[in-house]
Amino acid sequence: MTHVNVHPLVSPWGRFGLYSFFIDAPEPAIVDTGIGSSPAEGMVPALEAIGRRIEDVRWILLTHGHIDHVGGAHALWELTGRRAQVVIHEADVAMLRSRRAHVDEYLHGRAQYLNDPEGEAMVTAAADAAISGEMEPTVLLKGGETLSLGGDVTVSVHPIPGHTPGSVAYVIDGQGSVFVGDAVQVHGAANGFPGYVDPVAYRASLRYLRDEIRPQHLYLGHPYRRADGMPYGVELDADQARDALQGSLDIEAGVSEAALGCLRDGLRETDSPYSPFAPVAEGLGYTGDPTLEPSPFFTSMHGYRTHFSQNS
């Protein structure tokens, strides 16, 4: 089987870089698309530097539906002459089809705890600014598909829900290169806290990646952080991948214990910025800003609350 090279493509975005990955296959693919400006500002020059052209990209593989991963999809598709196939899981497709879906996700989850009267307007403005266009995918995934990138290069699709309902892993068959977007959170990125909407699915997906997929090369959507605050890179070898997956499971176990204890004791509104989950932050020693979007602390706490209420 032909070995294909993978090149990270970094696009500027405020304090952060947004990561996409170029799969140098006979039918080239880009995994994740940053925001609306990313294809022109980040991908075009990065591809030119390695002697490749964005017009030749034939696959746009989206790991999940968040703004900083799908925001550039329409712009990238346009730069390929609308020839590339745009691929996303059916559980996250609303976020590709509709800017409003991002606002609804905010309102139905973390907004309940942020008490920000400007929150809806801010998320609406962010979606308008960062998403290059609403669009229909050309390939709607359920999971289990195999995509042909030309020649004998194939990519298999594995559902790994948790961070979002439609998170997927793309695996380059035969070489163990695995793209997971934000499905492996470790200690989170800038906020220092892991974010997921479904903790039970997140845990199961991490175990599946660790025990069944066993990545030889793991490509992350952001430089997620270790316990000491040092970030991993976005390209992990097999040992680092095992470490990040096990670390993510260990961290979730601690968060779960604290969250479920708090829920069993009953939620109480206080003046704490972590209210009504202040005991969780205190128990875990978490001192990050819980209001900093995308607010993974409240996203995950809402996930535990939802699951706890369904099973109690």
Side-chain angles (χ1 to χ4, degrees):
M1 188 167 279
T2 305
H3 179 88
V4 293
N5 291 321
V6 174
H7 302 273
L9 311 174
V10 186
S11 304
W13 188 41
R15 294 176 294 144
F16 307 105
L18 295 178
Y19 289 88
S20 305
F21 298 95
F22 177 71
I23 302 174
D24 199 0
E27 293 181 19
I30 287 179
V31 180
D32 287 338
T33 63
I35 59 169
S37 58
S38 301
E41 291 184 8
M43 297 176 199
V44 168
L47 289 174
E48 286 176 351
I50 59 170
R52 298 292 182 267
R53 302 184 330 140
I54 206 156
E55 297 90 333
D56 297 330
V57 170
R58 288 295 170 267
W59 293 89
I60 298 169
L61 307 178
L62 302 171
T63 61
H64 67 293
H66 283 162
I67 282 177
D68 54 330
H69 295 260
V70 304
H74 191 277
L76 175 55
W77 181 62
E78 292 279 2
L79 288 171
T80 70
R82 299 189 167 191
R83 289 192 294 272
Q85 306 252 33
V86 181
V87 183
I88 194 169
H89 191 277
E90 61 184 8
D92 278 13
V93 71
M95 297 174 124
L96 183 67
R97 289 173 173 157
S98 163
R99 290 182 173 94
R100 180 67 200 181
H102 297 267
V103 183
D104 290 342
E105 184 215 25
Y106 167 79
L107 292 175
H108 294 146
R110 60 196 184 273
Q112 298 174 41
Y113 313 99
L114 292 170
N115 301 316
D116 181 356
E118 301 300 319
E120 180 174 359
M122 287 173 60
V123 176
T124 300
D128 287 345
I131 295 174
S132 54
E134 299 173 329
M135 68 182 302
E136 190 67 25
T138 43
V139 179
L140 195 56
L141 301 170
K142 292 181 180 293
E145 296 87 353
T146 298
L147 309 174
S148 173
L149 271 55
D152 61 355
V153 180
T154 58
V155 167
S156 56
V157 179
H158 303 261
I160 47 169
H163 178 66
T164 67
S167 291
V168 300
Y170 296 103
V171 180
I172 302 178
D173 297 319
Q175 68 183 61
S177 297
V178 184
F179 304 86
V180 294
D182 297 350
V184 179
Q185 287 272 309
V186 201
H187 275 275
N191 288 23
F193 202 90
Y196 36 84
V197 298
D198 183 335
V200 175
Y202 178 67
R203 194 179 312 142
S205 294
L206 290 169
R207 288 177 177 151
Y208 177 74
L209 287 164
R210 181 192 66 184
D211 299 339
E212 303 296 328
I213 301 294
R214 298 195 293 275
Q216 296 303 299
H217 313 277
L218 185 65
Y219 296 93
L220 304 176
H222 303 277
Y224 287 103
R225 295 173 189 268
R226 308 170 193 266
D228 62 5
M230 287 292 292
Y232 284 92
V234 294
E235 304 174 81
L236 279 56
D237 64 22
D239 290 340
Q240 292 169 324
R242 271 194 304 275
D243 184 58
L245 289 164
Q246 187 59 53
S248 297
L249 280 162
D250 294 344
I251 292 152
E252 191 282 324
V255 174
S256 177
E257 184 177 9
L260 296 181
C262 178
L263 289 162
R264 276 192 293 268
D265 292 343
L267 298 181
R268 296 178 186 84
E269 294 293 341
T270 67
D271 292 336
S272 166
Y274 304 98
S275 176
F277 302 103
V280 178
E282 187 177 346
L284 295 171
Y286 178 61
T287 58
D289 179 358
T291 68
L292 188 64
E293 274 291 286
S295 189
F297 177 80
F298 285 125
T299 295
S300 297
M301 289 304 104
H302 185 66
Y304 288 105
R305 184 181 187 180
T306 303
H307 190 265
F308 182 81
S309 65
Q310 290 170 346
N311 292 275
S312 60

